[in-house]
Amino acid sequence: MHSPVVVILMVLLVATSAFSGYVSPRNWQRQAEDEFLVGVGIADVTGPCTEVGMMGYASASQVSTGIHFRQWARSFIICSGADECVVFVSSDIGMMSAATTSLVLDKLAIKFPGLYGRHNVLLSGTHTHSGPAGYLQYFLFQITNLGYIADSTDAIVEGIVESIEAAHANLQPGHIWYGETQVNDANINRSPMAYLNNPVEEQNRYEFDVDKTMWLLRFDDAQGNPLGVLNWFAVHPTSMNNTNTLVSGDNKGVASMLFEQALNPESLPGQGKFVAAFAASNLGDVSPNIQGPKCQDTGLPCDQLTSTCGGFVQLCVASGPGRDMEESTSIIGNRQFEAAYELFNNRSLLVPIIGSVKTKHQYINMSSYEFQELSSNGEMETYTFPYKWQPDVVDTSVVLIGSLAILGVPGELTTMSGRRMRDTVAKVMNEHGIVDPKPIIAGLTNVYSDYVTTFEEYQIQRYEGASTIYGPNTLGAYLDQYKFLVNATLQGLELDAGPLPPNLLDDQISFVFDPQYDGALFDNYGDCLRNPYPSYRGGETVDVIFRAGNPRNNVRRGGTYLTVEHRQNDDTWKVIGTDANWETKFSWERTNSLTGESEARIQWTIPVNTEGVFRIRHFGDHKQIITGTISPYSGICGPFEVHATG
Ligand SMILES: *[C@@H]1O[C@H](CO)[C@@H](O)[C@H](O)[C@H]1NC(C)=O
Ligand SMILES: *[C@@H]1O[C@H](CO)[C@@H](O)[C@H](O)[C@H]1NC(C)=O
Ligand SMILES: *[C@@H]1O[C@H](CO)[C@@H](O)[C@H](O)[C@H]1NC(C)=O
Ligand SMILES: *[C@@H]1O[C@H](CO)[C@@H](O)[C@H](O)[C@H]1NC(C)=O
C-alpha cells in the first residue's frame, strides 16, 4: 500500500511526463471539440547587421552598424485533423514580402508535402523598423536600401522555415484559450485629423481613437502546462526612431523577450521551449510615441495636418514616454508584456477555443479597383522602373476556429479600417449562427501593400491616406473580399486561387556589393583593443573593443557575435548573455578602408544584483584581400570582477 502522499506524487510524475513526443496530424484521433494538436517554435531571422539599409523609415542614411538584440520568427501550428491545420508565424521583421513568402512556401512544399501550403500558412511581420532591408521584390520598397539583398532574404526565409519545423516537431494534443484585455498608455493615433473625418456616429461608438484591446491566445499541453502565447495589439514597433542603426525587435521584440524570460528562466533568448509572439494588428495610424509629435525648436505640438513646424518637417519629432528611444522601447514593450502576462495567468478571463480549423486563401488583383486612377494622375508613368513598382496582386486569407476568426490582411489597416473589417466579418459569422464572434486583424501578412485607410480618412491625405496605394476604395474592396472569404469558409465552398502574383526574383537588381577585404596590420583579429576596468558594480556598463572583421562576412544566424561569460566554481565559464540579450550591444565600425581595419565594440550593461568574475568574448570572420577567403576568429576581453551594488 502506498500512502496517499506517495500516490499523489506518482500521479503528478505521470502527469508531467505524459508528453511522449511528436504526434502526427495524420494519425491522431481527436477526443473532443476543444482538443487540438498544438506546436510552437522559434528561430533566428537576423540577417546582415552591418552596411545594409534598414527596413521601415525609408531613410537612406539609416544603415545598420550592429545588433542591439536579435530578430526571431515565432511559429504556432494548430490542427483539428490531418487536413485541418493552420501555421501562423509572427516574425520580428518590417513585413512579409511576396518574395519571402513564396520562398518559404517552396521549402514547406518539399518538407511537408500536402500539409502546409498557401491555403493554411499565414506569415506576418511585427513591423519593426530596425531590421535589415532588401527582401521585398517590388521596387517601391527597395529604393532607399539600394535594392535586393540575398543575405537578408535568406535569413528571413531560413529562420521562418526552421521555426515552423520546430513547431511541427513538438505537435502534441493540447488546448487553446482566448482572452481580451486593455493595454493602457502604450499607443496614440498619429493622424487624428484623418480619424476625425470618419462619420461622427461611427466615432461615437468608441471611447478612443486607437484600439486599446489586446487579443490573446494561450496554448497549453494536455496537462495544462503552458506552451506558448500569441497576441495581437495595434501599435507600430517604432519606439526606436530613424537614427537607430542597431538591429532591434523594438517594443514588440522586448515584450516577447520578457514573456519568454519569465517562462524560460534558465534559457538564453530564443533558446527556451515557451514561445511568446506579440503580433501586428491594425496599426496603420497607431504610434507608440505617446508624447506625440512636438516641435524641436519650440516644444509645441506640430501642425496636425502636415506634421511640420513652421513648414519644416525635420523639426517635428514624435517621442515616447522614455528619456530616449531605448527607454521608450523598454517602457512600451513592458506595458504590452504586463497586460499579456496578467491575462495569460488569469483563468477566469480566458475561454476555451472550441471547433475545427478552417482556412481559406485567395489572391486578388487590386489593380482593377483603383490602379488606373493612380496612373492617370501621371505619377506612375513619369518614371521607368527596372521592375514592378508595387504589387497589384495581393494575398487575402482567413482562419476560422469556432467563434475565432484570424484575418490575414496584406497591409497596414488604420484603426477605423480594422474596426470596420471586424464588424463586417462578425456580421457574416452572426448570420451563420456563430454567437459572440471573435475576429482579429493579423496585419502585414504574406505580402506588403502599404496602408489601408477608410474612404473618409483617405480624403485628408495624411501620410496613411497618401500611402493607400489602391486609392480611396481600397478598404471597400477588402471588406467585400473578407466577407466573401469568411462566408465561403463557413459554407465550405471551393474557391479558385485567383491570379498568381508574378515572380520577380530573377529580375532583382542590387547596388549593395560584397563586403570588402579585412585587415589587421599590427595585431590579430580578436585582440582586445580596449580592456575592461578591473571591477564594476551592477548597473554599470562594460565597454570593450576588439580588432574585427566585417560581420557581413558571416551573418551567424542562430549564433552570436559575442558572449558574456560567468566564471563558475570549477573555473569553467558559463555563457549568461549573447548578442540577443537586451543588456548587450554589438556594434562595428570600419576604421580604415585602405588597410581594411575595423573594430567591434561590445557593451554589457550589468544587471543589478550581479556578482562574480566575468569576461566578454567576440566571434567573427575576416576576409582575405586577394583570395577573398573567409576565416573565423575569436577573442577575449577580461576577466573582470562585478561587485554587489550599494
Ligand atoms: C531619436 O531619438 C533620440 C533619443 O534617443 C532623439 O535625440 C532624436 O531627436 C530622435 N530623432 C528623431 C528623428 O525622432
Ligand atoms: C482575474 O480577473 C478578475 C476580473 O478582472 C479579477 O477580479 C481577479 O482579481 C483576477 N485574478 C487575479 C489572480 O489576478
Ligand atoms: C491585374 O489587373 C491589371 C488591370 O486589369 C492587369 O493589367 C494586370 O495584368 C493584372 N495582374 C495580374 C498578375 O493578373
Ligand atoms: C454566402 O454564400 C452563399 C452561397 O454562395 C450566398 O447565397 C450568400 O448570399 C452569401 N452570404 C453572404 C453574407 O455573403
Side-chain angles (χ1 to χ4, degrees):
M1 277 294 285
H2 298 297
S3 79
V5 174
V6 172
V7 172
I8 288 169
L9 276 177
M10 284 173 58
V11 170
L12 279 177
L13 280 176
V14 170
T16 51
S17 62
F19 176 51
S20 51
Y22 167 70
V23 178
S24 161
R26 294 213 163 94
N27 42 40
W28 166 62
Q29 290 298 315
R30 199 182 188 198
Q31 305 294 329
E33 279 286 291
D34 67 347
E35 188 190 51
F36 299 90
L37 278 189
V38 290
V40 302
I42 184 168
D44 189 0
V45 290
T46 315
C49 70
T50 56
E51 298 184 318
V52 161
M54 297 177 102
M55 191 64 219
Y57 290 112
S59 159
S61 61
Q62 196 193 8
V63 174
S64 59
T65 60
I67 297 181
H68 183 195
F69 58 98
R70 275 184 187 263
Q71 305 163 268
W72 304 98
R74 296 179 168 90
S75 288
F76 300 80
I77 302 179
I78 308 172
C79 302
S80 57
D83 301 316
E84 295 176 341
C85 288
V86 60
V87 180
F88 187 92
V89 186
S90 173
S91 305
D92 293 324
I93 59 174
M95 63 279 290
M96 282 308 287
S97 74
T100 48
T101 298
S102 72
L103 291 169
V104 168
L105 291 175
D106 289 351
K107 288 184 188 270
L108 293 182
I110 295 165
K111 288 175 198 277
F112 305 104
L115 201 52
Y116 309 136
R118 185 65 77 178
H119 62 293
N120 65 357
V121 174
L122 278 74
L123 309 174
S124 169
T126 61
H127 206 34
T128 173
H129 282 36
S130 294
Y135 55 89
L136 286 92
Q137 69 170 358
Y138 296 101
F139 191 65
L140 174 65
F141 310 122
Q142 302 266 43
I143 301 172
T144 50
N145 59 262
L146 304 176
Y148 181 79
I149 302 165
D151 276 355
S152 274
T153 310
D154 291 350
I156 291 171
V157 170
E158 284 162 22
I160 288 175
V161 170
E162 248 174 51
S163 77
I164 294 172
E165 287 178 297
H168 180 84
N170 70 38
L171 275 175
Q172 56 186 297
H175 298 97
I176 306 167
W177 301 81
Y178 171 88
E180 290 171 19
T181 188
Q182 190 161 316
V183 186
N184 294 314
D185 302 323
N187 60 357
I188 60 165
N189 194 307
R190 69 181 186 189
S191 292
M193 292 277 284
Y195 180 90
L196 288 171
N197 208 40
N198 289 310
V200 176
E201 322 78 76
E202 185 181 35
Q203 291 179 47
N204 288 344
R205 292 176 51 205
Y206 304 98
E207 191 180 350
F208 302 105
D209 61 2
V210 288
D211 286 326
K212 302 275 180 190
T213 307
M214 174 182 278
W215 295 266
L216 179 143
L217 298 178
R218 173 183 165 134
F219 295 78
D220 284 346
D221 71 11
Q223 287 74 43
N225 303 307
L227 297 173
V229 63
L230 166 60
N231 64 64
W232 292 266
F233 171 70
V235 71
H236 261 75
T238 50
S239 297
M240 297 303 287
N241 68 36
N242 66 10
T243 65
N244 168 51
T245 58
L246 298 184
V247 166
S248 165
D250 209 285
N251 58 57
K252 296 266 178 200
V254 167
S256 287
M257 199 151 56
L258 288 168
F259 212 130
E260 286 164 0
Q261 271 164 9
L263 277 102
N264 306 314
E266 300 303 318
S267 304
L268 293 165
Q271 309 301 319
K273 278 206 151 65
F274 183 90
V275 176
F278 286 68
S281 195
N282 51 320
L283 50 66
D285 52 356
V286 190
S287 167
N289 296 314
I290 59 176
Q291 289 181 353
K294 299 255 169 60
C295 296
Q296 298 293 78
D297 49 348
T298 61
L300 297 172
C302 310
D303 178 79
Q304 284 222 16
L305 185 58
T306 58
S307 292
T308 53
C309 302
F312 294 103
V313 69
Q314 295 85 350
L315 288 175
C316 174
V317 166
S319 65
R323 278 162 302 184
D324 55 36
M325 55 180 163
E326 251 172 65
E327 195 184 51
S328 297
T329 302
S330 166
I331 294 171
I332 299 295
N334 265 278
R335 286 179 187 166
Q336 292 176 73
F337 158 66
E338 278 161 17
Y341 193 68
E342 201 176 308
L343 175 59
F344 179 90
N345 285 305
N346 192 333
R347 289 281 175 185
S348 69
L349 300 176
L350 300 173
V351 295
I353 296 291
I354 298 166
S356 23
V357 177
K358 299 177 174 138
T359 61
K360 279 270 183 276
H361 173 279
Q362 195 174 47
Y363 293 113
I364 54 171
N365 187 345
M366 290 300 284
S367 299
S368 35
Y369 287 96
E370 284 299 332
F371 198 76
Q372 289 92 337
E373 191 204 68
L374 271 182
S375 40
S376 67
N377 71 17
E379 265 178 54
M380 305 297 294
E381 282 134 355
T382 56
Y383 207 111
T384 36
F385 303 113
Y387 47 93
K388 239 176 152 36
W389 179 243
Q390 56 200 17
D392 50 13
V393 172
V394 297
D395 295 63
T396 60
S397 41
V398 301
V399 181
L400 297 183
I401 315 176
S403 59
L404 178 75
I406 301 172
L407 314 169
V409 298
E412 304 180 47
L413 272 66
T414 59
T415 303
M416 199 60 102
S417 301
R419 287 169 176 171
R420 287 189 195 171
M421 177 157 309
R422 290 198 301 265
D423 280 356
T424 301
V425 165
K427 195 154 164 274
V428 178
M429 292 170 81
N430 279 148
E431 280 164 14
H432 285 87
I434 296 173
V435 211
D436 194 16
K438 303 168 178 62
I440 296 172
I441 310 282
L444 301 107
T445 294
N446 289 346
V447 64
Y448 184 64
S449 62
D450 249 303
Y451 285 83
V452 182
T453 63
T454 67
F455 182 85
E456 296 83 353
E457 289 163 354
Y458 185 88
Q459 310 308 317
I460 304 296
Q461 286 290 297
R462 280 271 312 166
Y463 178 70
E464 297 80 17
S467 309
T468 295
I469 53 177
Y470 308 121
N473 294 312
T474 304
L475 177 62
Y478 283 137
L479 294 183
D480 266 6
Q481 173 65 10
Y482 283 82
K483 197 198 283 189
F484 169 73
L485 277 186
V486 171
N487 187 40
T489 312
L490 292 169
Q491 301 265 340
L493 303 178
E494 287 295 322
L495 297 183
D496 64 85
L500 292 185
N503 182 344
L504 305 177
L505 275 172
D506 292 339
D507 305 331
Q508 296 295 312
I509 52 171
S510 181
F511 300 103
V512 178
F513 301 108
D514 280 350
Q516 73 171 88
Y517 56 88
D518 294 299
L521 290 195
F522 307 111
D523 43 28
N524 297 307
Y525 295 103
D527 279 3
C528 188
L529 304 185
R530 181 161 80 206
N531 281 297
Y533 299 131
S535 77
Y536 295 83
R537 293 196 182 277
E540 293 178 342
T541 299
V542 184
D543 194 345
V544 294
I545 291 178
F546 293 87
R547 171 67 61 223
N550 191 338
R552 207 146 67 80
N553 291 328
N554 178 354
V555 301
R556 294 187 171 260
R557 193 183 64 78
T560 181
Y561 291 104
L562 70 93
T563 52
V564 178
E565 303 185 0
H566 181 201
R567 192 159 75 198
Q568 307 294 293
N569 289 336
D570 61 359
D571 279 349
T572 59
W573 294 89
K574 181 185 177 195
V575 176
I576 59 145
T578 67
D579 61 14
N581 282 75
W582 171 263
E583 299 79 23
T584 62
K585 271 188 200 151
F586 170 76
S587 51
W588 176 85
E589 192 184 359
R590 172 85 62 203
T591 49
N592 187 329
S593 50
L594 195 63
T595 62
E597 284 171 307
S598 68
E599 295 176 358
R601 179 179 176 192
I602 295 173
Q603 289 159 288
W604 176 45
T605 301
I606 306 167
V608 286
N609 303 326
T610 305
E611 269 187 280
V613 175
F614 296 84
R615 67 179 186 182
I616 290 177
R617 292 180 77 191
H618 164 51
F619 304 86
D621 301 80
H622 66 91
K623 182 174 177 177
Q624 260 159 36
I625 180 162
I626 310 230
T627 59
T629 312
I630 292 174
S631 328
Y633 67 84
S634 68
I636 298 172
C637 280
F640 52 91
E641 290 179 7
V642 176
H643 300 288
T645 319

